[in-house]
Every structure is written in C-alpha cells, then in structure tokens.
Amino acid sequence: MNARTQGPGASGSDDSTQYTLLFEKNVTIEVSDGTRLSANVFRPREPGRYPVIMAAGVYGKDVHFADGFKPQWEKLCRLYPGLCEDGSTGKYLRWETVDPERWVPHGYVVIHVDARGSGKSPGYLDPMSPREIQDYYEAIEWAGTQSWSNGKVGLIGISYYAATQWLVAALRPPHLAAIVPWEGRSDHYRDYGYHGGIMSNGFLFSWWPKQVLSNQHGNVNTPYRDRDDGLPTTGPALDEAMLLGNRNDYPAEMAKHPLCDAWHKQRSPDLARIEVPLLSAGNWGGPGNHLRGNIEGYLRAGSKQKWLSMHIGTHYESFYLPRYVAMQRRFFDHFLKGEDNGWQDTAPVQLSIRTVDGEIRRDENEFPLARTRWTRYYLHPSDASLTLREPAGTSEASFEAMETGLHFHTAPFEQETEITGFITLRLWIASTTRDADIFAVLRLFDPSGKEVIFDGAHEPTPVTRGWLRASHRKLDEAMTTPYRVYHAHDEIQKLAPGTYYPLDVEIWPTSIVIPKGYRLGLTLQGKDFEFENVKGRLTHTHPADRGGEDFRGRTTVCSGPERPSYLVLPVIPPS
C-alpha cells in the first residue's frame, strides 16, 4: 500500500472546512473466500470519521480516463473546460466514477475497487455474477467499519458501476446508506442482453475485448499503464492458458440464454428488496442501454425515499458537470452526513424535457405524469399515415425483413406538443415464416423534411426505439399496465405463416417537445435502423440469433376496424 497527500481542495465551496486529500493505493480488502481485492482509497488526511462513497467494477481503478477513453475524454474536456481546473487536477479521474478531488475536500472518503479478476484483483472474472456482487457486499461492510469511516457507505457511478449498485443494494448490506445509480441497467435480460427477445450483440462483442479483457487481472498485453509507476494496470503477468481459465466467456454465455432464465435472473436485482434511499439518474438519449433500467429501478425499488432525475446528452458528460455534481453531493450530504439541507423537500421526479435544441428542466411529483393524456395514433398502411382517426377500412403493407421497411408519418403538428413517458405500439402482423423481428423507431422531422437527430448516450439517436421478436409476444400480465407492456420472455411461441397476430411492442420511454409544423415518423423494419453514414453500436446481428430463415421472410402490417394497429403516445397537456 502506498500513501501520498495532496493540498487543499477547491476554494469557494459551501463547506466550512476544506480537507486535504490522502491517497492510499492498492489497499487490500480480503473477502470471505480468501480472495484479496485491490482498492484505491482517497480520504481526508485530517483525523475523523467520514462517510464513504464507493464504486467497484471491471474497468481498472488505475486506468486514467484519458488513457482508456481518449475520444470521450477529449469531448468531455470540450463540453466542460473546467474539468481539470477549479480545484481538480484531473489526476485521479477514471471512466464513469467520481473525481476524488471534488469529494474528499468536502469530507468524504472515496473508494474505487477492482472487481474480482480485473485490474489488480486476482480471481475468476465473471461480470455481474453472484460472487462478484457478494464481494461488493463485503467491500461495503469493510469500508463501513474502518477507523476513518462514520459507518455510512454510499454507492455512485455510471453504467457498470450503476448496474452493480442495484444488485448489491438488493442484498441489503448493513452499512449501505444510499445509492446513486447513474445511467445503469436494472434488468440484465430486457435492458441489455435481449431487446424484446432479440440478442443485442453489437455493443457486447466490442465491450468485452476492449473494456473488460483489456483489464483482466494478469493480462500482460493490456495497453494501459499505471501513471504512478509505469507498470501494467493489471498486476503481475499470467500466461494465456491461465487467463483463459480465469474468466467466464461472457458473450458466449449470453448467446446460450435466449430466454429470461436463471442465468439472467442471477444478474438482475430483486428491486423490491432495495430499501436504502436512492437517486436514479437516466438519459433520454439511451434507448437500447440503461434508460429503461433507471426508470424501472426507480419505480420498482422498495425504497420509501427515492428520486428520479432524467437528463440528456452523452453517456458520461452530465455526471461530471458542476450542477449534477452539486446534486449528487447534496443527496449524499443529507443521507450520509445527516445534513438538514432541504433535500427531503426535493421533488421526487426531476426531468429534462427535451427540445429540438436543448432542454427545459422541470420538477414533477410522479412518473408517469398523472396528467398524461394517453393518445392513440392509428397506422393507415394504405397511405402510410399516422393519425388520430380510427381506420374505417382494412389496409395492409409489407416489407422484406432484411431490407427497407415501412414508414408512417403524422400530419404537421398544429401546435407545440409535448410527449413524455412510456410508449406502446399495438401492431397486427403476419409473416411468411414462423417468426419475425420488429424494429420500431420513433423519429422527428422538421417542416422541410429533415430529420432531427439527438446527441445520444452511446450514439446519435432518434426520438426513441423499440424491439420485439414475434415469438416472444407473450405478456407478463402481472407486470403489464394499460400504458406499459412487459413481456415474459419465458417461452417461444412460433407463428403460423400467413396468420395475423397482435404484437404489443414496448417502445422505450422518451421526452420531446414537438414544435408546431414538425412531424412524427414511425419506421418499422426487420433489421437494425441506422442513420446514413453512421455505424450503430447497439446492433442486433448475431448469426446464431438472427441467421435462420425464420427472420428472412416478408412481414405484413395490417390495420382496420377489427385489427387496429396504433401507437399510444404520452401527450402532456400545456400547464
């Protein structure tokens, strides 16, 4: 273990005391099976007992943000020029975790743990596994009983560092006092592995080698070096045979579990068991990863004290922006320090209402909003329109599954209109084969016909997206509500070719203010939707999942009085 000190933190803080940062590197946390996890501990040099904020994950506690994610680092520095100023050198910044220099001076201990099998923590690398989460539980309990701890531990971080929060909070570690899952999935199957029953392999198959295997403990070929000593961030070298034996083949395992079985459920929390205060922060620009999980996590967590904050922008920028760091600190100041700072009076739902050129920040009392007008827009295949008028006659239109699909448009909106909340699509389809995949994309077009494209969490994004494999159409009736569908994903129900079936497609929640004169569009196709000249990251192209003849047929969409196809939009009336 190495220790070093750094001078006083940011000036101009509201805190009456500014603490000096003491950095303890490679601190050992021994867990119940004897494995010794490695952690970096940043704490005030001044004697005392302080609250702890922690993150544990597989991305390497000693990989500097700029080394591991150079393009994202450069963009963040452009968006927030003061990132490495105003009290922080940026020296300790790590991908998707807090900056210790912005927390320790305010009286916090910051701990970053290399998860088992990653970085400098030996063991079997098995992301999101029960053993990894048990390690996290024990690390929390270790932190809560140290001489410098006040006994209250909070968790904070983005993505992986958020998803594991949901999991460990459901185990109820006694010293866990609050969590801030920032853009992190809460359902391993529905949010991440399989969208509507369709395997999401595009991100997974790049994430695994680039972000996980590069950080596997003992990987001598890692491109990363610890800036403190110039050595690999992955600890002592292991040979290839040992590396292979020390890890689960996570992508291969994902492909083996096309239904929501025990393997996925082990990696999904029982949200009702979560009882600590929580602040769930999601991104409207994240359809396909995390967005759904933050909303579901907020709604289904058993916590009596819980808040939902929805923002816009890239996957990482908001987490580091001063106004959001202030919100994070205010939340933890209340629940970890016991400060009476007014947080208890904060609106339970804080939304960035997305506009074509920015956002409007607004407080609400609930989600979905109680004043929502659930409004049906009917599909008319005969003229590709999307209207409030129910179809008088039956019409249909077809598309080849692996080619261009169907496009429906509303008339120009006669007045500015906000939609915020859950979206569902009732779609009557027939297929020439025994199955069909539906990729549903909600889009926005200006009066000239130019599409509005948003800067999303992971890639440029339309308003929102949804997916459903027809053979996964079975609903979980207990979880489904009039405004939100929830699929069981527990059995395969093949189609009879040429026979019409109703599908209830879950389109991920969104928020957008549609200006007067703009049109909404709905694109339906049997393959991933991608913008021209933009390669999508969250794609669904696994040959074992989509390579069969069942997904290469012709799909027909029908709408009429007896089989109405319609989109249900959450229209918010003007205040």
Side-chain angles (χ1 to χ4, degrees), residues 191-394:
D191 298 344
Y192 177 60
Y194 288 81
H195 296 142
I198 308 168
M199 185 179 180
S200 178
N201 63 294
F203 175 77
L204 173 64
F205 278 66
S206 63
W207 169 80
W208 179 245
K210 292 180 180 179
Q211 292 180 238
V212 183
L213 296 188
S214 62
N215 289 304
Q216 184 180 1
H217 178 73
N219 181 4
V220 69
N221 294 316
T222 180
Y224 307 125
R225 294 294 180 270
D226 190 324
R227 290 190 176 189
D228 289 330
D229 57 22
L231 298 175
T233 58
T234 50
L238 299 175
D239 63 34
E240 286 299 321
M242 184 64 77
L243 286 173
L244 186 62
N246 276 4
R247 66 181 184 244
N248 183 13
D249 189 342
Y250 185 72
E253 284 298 314
M254 184 77 79
K256 292 177 185 176
H257 299 274
L259 293 176
C260 189
D261 58 14
W263 187 79
H264 290 286
K265 290 177 180 178
Q266 282 185 330
R267 289 160 174 78
S268 300
D270 180 352
L271 292 166
R273 282 186 49 80
I274 297 176
E275 57 185 6
V276 295
L278 68 89
L279 169 59
S280 177
N283 188 335
W284 293 125
N289 203 3
H290 303 320
L291 162 61
R292 181 185 184 280
N294 279 104
I295 292 175
E296 288 291 322
Y298 165 75
L299 291 175
R300 294 170 54 196
S303 307
K304 294 180 180 178
Q305 296 174 293
K306 56 185 179 179
W307 286 263
L308 175 67
S309 176
M310 298 299 298
H311 53 264
I312 62 172
T314 65
H315 176 51
Y316 46 87
E317 70 187 70
S318 63
F319 185 76
Y320 298 98
L321 294 176
R323 63 169 170 156
Y324 286 112
V325 173
M327 180 174 71
Q328 298 158 10
R329 190 182 298 136
R330 188 162 163 257
F331 174 80
F332 278 143
D333 282 350
H334 181 68
F335 288 108
L336 302 187
K337 292 184 176 181
E339 291 186 6
D340 185 10
N341 59 9
W343 179 268
Q344 64 270 25
D345 300 320
T346 301
V349 176
Q350 303 158 55
L351 304 178
S352 287
I353 305 302
R354 191 166 53 177
T355 66
V356 296
D357 55 3
E359 63 178 308
I360 302 166
R361 197 71 179 165
R362 192 172 74 205
D363 291 345
E364 296 287 351
N365 293 318
E366 72 287 312
F367 191 90
L369 308 188
R371 63 186 183 280
T372 304
R373 295 174 182 168
W374 304 101
T375 305
R376 291 185 179 184
Y377 279 78
Y378 291 89
L379 281 65
H380 298 269
S382 58
D383 62 1
S385 65
L386 196 59
T387 77
L388 296 170
R389 172 178 51 85
E390 296 184 33
T394 298

Side-chain angles (χ1 to χ4, degrees), residues 412-427:
F413 277 73
E414 296 180 356
Q415 61 184 13
E416 183 177 271
T417 302
E418 177 189 336
I419 58 171
T420 296
F422 294 106
I423 298 173
T424 59
L425 172 64
R426 163 55 69 94
L427 199 64

Side-chain angles (χ1 to χ4, degrees), residues 492-567:
I492 303 296
Q493 299 178 337
K494 290 291 188 178
L495 308 177
T499 301
Y500 276 107
Y501 294 87
L503 307 183
D504 293 298
V505 183
E506 178 188 11
I507 296 181
W508 283 26
T510 196
S511 177
I512 182 64
V513 175
I514 305 166
K516 179 181 178 180
Y518 282 58
R519 297 172 182 258
L520 276 180
L522 175 67
T523 294
L524 303 174
Q525 53 191 50
K527 63 175 183 177
D528 285 302
F529 171 85
E530 295 178 290
F531 294 112
E532 187 176 358
N533 300 321
V534 177
K535 178 63 178 174
R537 296 184 65 206
L538 305 176
T539 52
H540 309 71
T541 57
H542 195 284
D545 183 64
R546 305 200 68 235
E549 291 302 313
D550 278 355
F551 305 104
R552 298 182 179 278
R554 188 168 185 82
T555 305
T556 301
V557 174
C558 171
S559 189
E562 296 181 358
R563 296 189 181 115
S565 292
Y566 52 83
L567 187 68

Side-chain angles (χ1 to χ4, degrees), residues 351-502:
L351 304 178
S352 287
I353 305 302
R354 191 166 53 177
T355 66
V356 296
D357 55 3
E359 63 178 308
I360 302 166
R361 197 71 179 165
R362 192 172 74 205
D363 291 345
E364 296 287 351
N365 293 318
E366 72 287 312
F367 191 90
L369 308 188
R371 63 186 183 280
T372 304
R373 295 174 182 168
W374 304 101
T375 305
R376 291 185 179 184
Y377 279 78
Y378 291 89
L379 281 65
H380 298 269
S382 58
D383 62 1
S385 65
L386 196 59
T387 77
L388 296 170
R389 172 178 51 85
E390 296 184 33
T394 298
S395 62
E396 59 184 41
S398 301
F399 61 91
E400 293 293 335
M402 294 299 178
E403 298 179 11
T404 303
L406 303 177
H407 308 278
F408 298 84
H409 286 88
T410 66
F413 277 73
E414 296 180 356
Q415 61 184 13
E416 183 177 271
T417 302
E418 177 189 336
I419 58 171
T420 296
F422 294 106
I423 298 173
T424 59
L425 172 64
R426 163 55 69 94
L427 199 64
W428 283 87
I429 72 148
S431 174
T432 58
T433 68
R434 298 176 63 239
D435 215 334
D437 284 345
I438 297 296
F439 293 74
V441 187
L442 191 63
R443 305 163 69 184
L444 183 64
F445 298 86
D446 71 14
S448 72
K450 181 180 179 181
E451 183 165 6
V452 179
I453 302 175
F454 299 94
D455 192 5
H458 306 278
E459 59 188 0
T461 183
V463 175
T464 189
R465 306 172 188 251
W467 304 262
L468 183 63
R469 176 159 289 172
S471 59
H472 283 244
R473 63 191 178 278
K474 177 184 174 183
L475 297 179
D476 181 329
E477 299 293 349
M479 294 295 296
T480 297
T481 70
Y483 52 79
R484 185 196 63 180
V485 296
Y486 195 98
H487 294 94
H489 298 299
D490 60 2
E491 65 174 309
I492 303 296
Q493 299 178 337
K494 290 291 188 178
L495 308 177
T499 301
Y500 276 107
Y501 294 87

